[in-house]
Amino acid sequence: MAVSRALFDEVMVPNYAPSAVIPVRGKGSRVWDQQGNNYIDFAGGIAVNCLGHAHPALVSALKEQGEKIWHVSNIWTNEPALRLAKKLVDATFAEKVFLTNSGAEANEAALKLARRYSIEHFSEDKVEIIAFNQGFHGRTFFTVTAGGQSAYSDGFGPKPGAITHINYNDLAALEAAISDKTCAVLIEPLQGEGGVISAEPDFIKGVRALCDKHNALLIFDEVQTGVGRTGELYAYMGTEVVPDILTTAKALGGGFPIAAMLTTTKIAQSLKVGTHGSTYGGNALACAVAETAFDLVNTTAMLAGVKQKEQVFKAHLATLNEQFNLFADIRGKGLLIGAELTEQYHGKARDILVAAASAGLMILVAGPNVLRFAPALNITDEEIELGFARLTTAIAEVLK
Ligand SMILES: Cc1ncc(COP(=O)(O)O)c(C=O)c1O
């Protein structure tokens, strides 16, 4: 069957507007399309492909598990799921793990758990959730409502209730909003989709203190920041704060769909048998790939490499800015980097993304004014060089 981009418009629900080309093959941080054109990948499948494309160890893990057993459901457990959970527990604050398939589902589980825990331990009316403007937590109705962009949650009828939004990095606003009826504060330690904005250290410590004061659970959404992305295994490790619940997805499977919710034994008790579940959660194929990816990312050398490459990326962006004077801010942590356009170029982020694709480079945006970069954690210096040469061409084209 001939497959072309035109087929997308014919057979797919029109909620996406994918690029004109179809990638068919990848190796490391290079991708090839149907016509054989090559691209440098600074997008990483939106912060997913932590080890690039077709990493031999991940391919082997998938093949090996594929020959054994793919799926049994949670009526049985499986070896890769248990090994992955043990690795997550050993490497983090967590004592218990709930495995699922996507970031949204991990956050859905976290919010449901927080509600149940607070009702069980405190009172029926301790159900309020505080989240942040511009935050992003997924597209299920609960998580998209917790996200702070009404453009994503409006138009679907009545929303799940008892969710309040305040400004990120505004501790006074949190102090005013939080109460003994708050069951959880849901926060990204670095807002990804919202514009690549870091939480200030004092703010995040203040959030923890206010949660403690009001017996509210602190949920860190590390779907985008987790698994080495910021140069820490999890971003919370670079703060002085430990959350009560943490969600991780994206890079966890290195490209295979999987996610997890991590928490303590005490809190986990509130999801008793039958209270929550997922057919695919903890699928053996996904877990076999994820445990391999996790071992490869969770090394001192890999995490130090992310911090070093952050400097390389930021230096390249600064050079671009000397040439074109188009960035008002270059920010982010590790290999989650944002470059905010000056007012003169507001609204042009997508044009640059499209021009970059034509020049052979995959990048991301975070809203209309921010270019976002989330490449593989093991991207090579040579791939970075080539990518920036292409970005220079693309920007020159857009600005001419
Ligand atoms: C911080 C954060 N949370 C949740 C999600 C949703 O993850 P998924 O698309 O896997 O449901 C995303 C996706 O971009 C995200 O960046």
Side-chain angles (χ1 to χ4, degrees):
M1 191 195 348
V3 171
S4 71
R5 171 62 179 78
L7 191 56
F8 181 95
D9 296 331
E10 201 182 312
V11 299
M12 301 291 260
V13 169
N15 62 310
Y16 300 117
S19 160
V21 299
I22 300 183
V24 291
R25 187 164 65 85
K27 187 77 195 152
S29 285
R30 287 169 202 253
V31 170
W32 288 264
D33 69 17
Q34 285 178 317
Q35 283 69 39
N37 302 309
N38 74 83
Y39 302 82
I40 294 292
D41 188 355
F42 280 1
I46 318 189
V48 166
N49 305 322
C50 55
L51 296 167
H53 298 271
H55 190 288
L58 301 192
V59 173
S60 293
L62 187 62
K63 281 184 178 166
E64 237 173 74
Q65 189 59 40
E67 300 279 344
K68 289 184 187 164
I69 195 160
W70 290 21
H71 179 77
V72 291
S73 87
N74 287 295
I75 296 172
W76 296 268
T77 188
N78 66 76
E79 291 178 354
L82 295 176
R83 282 196 300 263
L84 173 64
K86 175 76 172 121
K87 285 173 185 180
L88 287 166
V89 162
D90 285 348
T92 67
F93 76 96
E95 297 160 321
K96 293 283 191 270
V97 176
F98 172 76
L99 292 168
T100 183
N101 312 291
S102 67
E105 288 169 274
N107 284 329
E108 186 83 17
L111 294 172
K112 285 178 73 179
L113 171 59
R115 285 258 176 98
R116 256 190 118 88
Y117 174 85
S118 296
I119 289 168
E120 254 178 37
H121 289 264
F122 299 98
S123 66
E124 279 288 328
D125 62 354
K126 190 173 173 64
V127 292
E128 288 175 9
I129 291 157
I130 299 177
F132 294 87
N133 292 322
Q134 302 310 316
F136 188 82
H137 303 293
R139 300 285 198 147
T140 65
F141 211 7
F142 202 176
T143 59
V144 84
T145 306
Q149 300 184 53
S150 53
Y152 293 155
S153 55
D154 283 357
F156 297 98
K159 295 177 182 178
I163 302 173
T164 307
H165 295 97
I166 57 170
N167 284 340
Y168 199 63
N169 278 326
D170 186 345
L171 197 58
L174 181 60
E175 198 159 10
I178 201 166
S179 76
D180 289 348
K181 291 192 174 163
T182 306
C183 82
V185 174
L186 171 62
I187 189 167
E188 294 161 85
L190 186 165
Q191 285 191 331
E193 307 290 314
V196 190
I197 298 162
S198 292
E200 284 156 18
D202 282 348
F203 170 69
I204 211 80
K205 279 193 262 175
V207 172
R208 177 73 271 181
L210 285 170
C211 284
D212 290 342
K213 184 172 166 198
H214 294 281
N215 288 316
L217 298 178
L218 177 55
I219 306 172
F220 267 25
D221 177 344
E222 292 229 31
V223 166
Q224 190 152 165
T225 55
V227 197
R229 176 63 45 198
T230 66
E232 312 287 342
L233 180 63
Y234 283 97
Y236 85 85
M237 295 169 177
T239 71
E240 288 168 40
V241 162
V242 176
D244 300 299
I245 302 176
L246 180 151
T247 54
T248 175
K250 289 193 182 275
L252 186 62
F256 204 104
I258 181 167
M261 177 191 72
L262 314 182
T263 190
T264 63
T265 299
K266 181 177 178 212
I267 297 166
Q269 296 313 315
S270 292
L271 286 188
K272 295 176 184 50
V273 172
T275 50
H276 193 57
S278 157
T279 298
Y280 283 122
N283 169 279
L285 274 182
C287 292
V289 177
E291 60 161 319
T292 308
F294 194 78
D295 284 342
L296 291 171
V297 170
N298 190 20
T299 67
T300 313
M302 180 70 78
L303 298 174
V306 171
K307 288 184 177 164
Q308 183 258 330
K309 288 177 220 282
E310 170 186 348
Q311 299 314 320
V312 176
F313 253 82
K314 285 183 173 170
H316 274 291
L317 287 167
T319 305
L320 264 181
N321 212 19
E322 277 164 25
Q323 195 176 343
F324 296 108
N325 200 18
L326 83 166
F327 300 135
D329 193 20
I330 295 166
R331 59 184 180 238
K333 244 190 128 192
L335 286 173
L336 182 50
I337 294 172
E340 183 175 351
L341 298 169
T342 55
E343 226 174 293
Q344 187 186 355
Y345 299 116
H346 272 191
K348 290 255 184 256
R350 185 150 289 280
D351 294 349
I352 295 174
L353 180 150
V354 171
S358 300
L361 176 70
M362 296 165 144
I363 64 168
L364 301 166
V365 298
N369 308 324
V370 179
L371 306 183
R372 180 170 40 139
F373 307 93
L377 308 184
N378 62 352
I379 189 168
T380 64
D381 287 346
E382 193 199 345
E383 289 160 341
I384 296 175
E385 284 287 329
L386 188 53
F388 272 100
R390 292 177 181 189
L391 187 56
T392 307
T393 306
I395 289 174
E397 183 64 29
V398 171
L399 302 195
K400 88 174 179 216

